Amino acid sequence: MLKLIDVRKIYTTKVGDVAAMDGITVEFPDNGMIFINGKSGSGKTTLLNVVGGLDGFDSGEIIIDGKNFSTFTDSDYDSYRNTFVGFVFQEYNLLPDYTVGKNIQIANELQGKETSKERLKEMMAEFDIAGLENRKISELSGGQKQRVAIVRSLVKDPKIIMADEPTGALDSVTSVQIMELIREIAGERLVIMVTHNPELAEQYSTRIVKLQDGLVVSDSNPYDSSMEKEEVKIKTETEFLSEARQENTPQNKIKRKTKKEKKIKTSMSFKTALGLSGRNLQAKKGRTFVTSFAGSIGIISVCLVLALSNG
Ligand code: ADP
Ligand code: MG
């Protein structure tokens, strides 16, 4: 679903250029939980920001659902950010003086949509923050804040969730709880998560992509959509062969023969029927002739009798 080809992003600073992305080629499937790790400064946040459309890039290609970023207009970018991707940040990015409810609804409100009260209640219960709608963000614990941030990212039902160290500010017990919740949501969407914690990555991810100096230096389970197509092709060929083999089993040969015989029999009976109807027609012709001959004689004799009697 998401493909990066040789993507580069250079930050120009007073002390020189920094290649935050130095030619990254990587592909992600439709769902699953994929971890991005690497040392501080290796380009993890930049990767998320660029892929999420929050930041631009200098060269290379990014293809999302078959559409190339290079063809995106400003409004395409807006709708991509607002509907396609959801962000969960380390610092939560919540508005501290607003209520939990307001913070969650804001994602949809920005698009002029309204979150139904039932949906909001349902999601909050699912993420174990039921009843906190009217509480201010500043009155919550770290774990609660992160749950609010996750619900906020999910409320617009995005296809991709990008999470930048979502457990970075949490204790280990809360981190595990948050990871469990995120793993659940990764069943039906793609979650790209940056983490510093290698243990959590090992335990929860289906794949770990490691970055170093703006480059992918290892990938535990690379994904290649073109391989998937190849597999389908091979599968079809195999299916085709096995079907062909099935067709040539002795049983099927007998079946085919019976079919053929039946066909011939049917056509013969048709011919017979045709012949019979032909004979019928001929017999009818004969009968018609006799009938009309007899009729004519009758008329002629009546005429003769009339002529003779008048004469
Ligand atoms: P990570 O998230 O892995 O710690 P970042 O993506 O934040 O790494 O940063 C990658 C590199 O780009 C680092 O060398 C960082 O200093 C640099 N960088 C990030 N943001 C900026 C910026 N706004 N201006 C200049 N350099 C930046
Ligand atoms: Mg970072």
Side-chain angles (χ1 to χ4, degrees), residues 11 13 18 20 39-46:
Y11 284 113
T13 66
V18 180
K39 278 187 211 153
S40 182
S42 57
K44 306 180 295 294
T45 298
T46 306

Side-chain angles (χ1 to χ4, degrees), residues 14 17 57 84 91 97 110 113 129 182 238 248 250 274 288:
K14 277 177 199 155
D17 288 354
F57 55 105
F84 213 93
E91 301 88 13
D97 293 329
L110 284 172
K113 285 187 209 161
I129 45 171
I182 295 178
T238 319
N248 283 324
L274 207 77
T288 319

Side-chain angles (χ1 to χ4, degrees), residues 126-149:
E126 207 178 309
F127 287 86
D128 213 15
I129 45 171
L132 297 181
E133 288 98 323
N134 300 316
R135 192 86 74 84
K136 269 190 184 177
I137 295 296
S138 54
E139 298 162 358
L140 300 179
S141 72
Q144 285 172 329
K145 281 182 199 162
Q146 200 51 288
R147 284 162 207 264
V148 173

Side-chain angles (χ1 to χ4, degrees), residues 33 35 167 172 175-176 179 195 197-205 208:
M33 196 159 171
F35 278 71
T167 61
S172 59
S175 293
V176 168
M179 290 308 248
T195 182
N197 190 328
E199 280 151 44
L200 283 184
E202 287 290 342
Q203 199 179 337
Y204 288 95
S205 73
I208 302 171

Side-chain angles (χ1 to χ4, degrees), residues 194-261:
V194 165
T195 182
H196 254 113
N197 190 328
E199 280 151 44
L200 283 184
E202 287 290 342
Q203 199 179 337
Y204 288 95
S205 73
T206 46
R207 175 178 165 197
I208 302 171
V209 178
K210 194 176 174 193
L211 298 188
Q212 191 181 308
D213 300 327
L215 272 168
V216 174
V217 287
S218 76
D219 192 335
S220 70
N221 187 15
Y223 174 75
D224 184 347
S225 60
S226 62
M227 289 290 286
E228 205 163 68
K229 270 180 212 132
E230 199 71 20
E231 248 171 50
V232 173
K233 211 174 117 202
I234 290 164
K235 217 157 91 191
T236 331
E237 268 176 33
T238 319
E239 268 170 12
F240 172 73
L241 281 175
S242 85
E243 267 168 27
R245 242 179 271 127
Q246 252 177 18
E247 282 224 332
N248 283 324
T249 58
Q251 261 178 340
N252 273 347
K253 270 184 191 160
I254 291 166
K255 260 190 220 157
R256 268 205 299 277
K257 218 170 159 185
T258 331
K259 251 190 195 166
K260 217 173 179 181
E261 275 167 6

Side-chain angles (χ1 to χ4, degrees), residues 7-47:
V7 176
R8 264 166 233 275
K9 172 159 185 75
I10 315 285
Y11 284 113
T12 310
T13 66
K14 277 177 199 155
V15 287
D17 288 354
V18 180
M21 291 173 85
D22 200 13
I24 290 188
T25 297
V26 66
E27 197 173 348
F28 300 101
D30 284 356
N31 65 334
M33 196 159 171
I34 294 158
F35 278 71
I36 308 288
N37 77 14
K39 278 187 211 153
S40 182
S42 57
K44 306 180 295 294
T45 298
T46 306
L47 173 71

